[in-house]
Each structure stands twice: as C-alpha cells, then as structure tokens.
Amino acid sequence: MTLEDFLLIQTAVGHLKHLVNIRLSIDSNDVDTTSSVDINNNLLSGQKLKRVKMDMCARTTFTCITNSLNIEQLSIVWCQMQELTHLLQHAPSLSTLKATICGLNDG
C-alpha cells in the first residue's frame, strides 16, 4: 500500500461495522524522512475493532482522534511520544501495547 492508498482505505474502513482486526503496512519505498500518516476517527472508531497493527514506515500522527476507541491490542511502528500519549487518552480498553517511538521532533 502507498501513502495515497492509505487515504482511501482509511475512509472506507469507517464503513466496516463488523471489523475486529486490522493490519496496515505502507511500503517503505513510498516514504521519506518527511512523510507522515494522519490517522483519524474513521480508521479506529469501529464498535467491534479490537486489534490494530500498523507498520507505516512513516511518522504516524493521531491528533485527529477525538472519539473513544474500543481497541484492546495496539502494535504501532514509528510514532512520536506525544502522539502516542494523545491516542492512549482515547483508548480506555487497551490492554496490550507495543510501540516503536521515533526520535523526530516537531518543528
């Protein structure tokens, strides 16, 4: 999947009411050090969504997450600590977390 594909998929996933697991990866050939993926409510707010694994090979942001999430297991590669902290504030059911924090700073 490419960065452009991700935007289409994120919108479509919001309509999958019975989705329980999702695993997303972006090809590392499609990204550079300035690439980012903005995750919004459409992707993670499914009522039955419990397990999420994301290997985006690009900086992953969650600032657009405003809804409470039902996810219980999250595995994510390449996010900043403040963005992960923002996500965790909206994931009260989370019981398993595996995260790789990147060292990039805003600005």
Side-chain angles (χ1 to χ4, degrees), residues 3 30-37 57-60 78:
L3 286 171
D30 188 48
V31 298
D32 60 36
T33 57
T34 61
S35 297
S36 68
V37 177
C57 296
R59 181 177 159 212
T60 307
W78 202 254

Side-chain angles (χ1 to χ4, degrees), residues 24-76:
L24 297 170
S25 297
I26 292 180
D27 184 3
S28 61
N29 293 328
D30 188 48
V31 298
D32 60 36
T33 57
T34 61
S35 297
S36 68
V37 177
D38 301 314
I39 307 296
N40 65 32
N41 289 318
N42 287 336
L43 183 67
L44 299 178
S45 292
Q47 291 296 314
K48 294 186 178 184
L49 187 60
K50 302 296 180 194
R51 290 174 290 282
V52 177
K53 183 172 184 177
M54 292 186 282
D55 186 355
M56 300 311 217
C57 296
R59 181 177 159 212
T60 307
T61 64
F62 300 103
T63 54
C64 295
I65 298 289
T66 57
N67 295 349
S68 184
L69 307 174
N70 294 317
I71 58 175
E72 296 172 356
Q73 297 177 3
L74 173 64
S75 175
I76 183 163

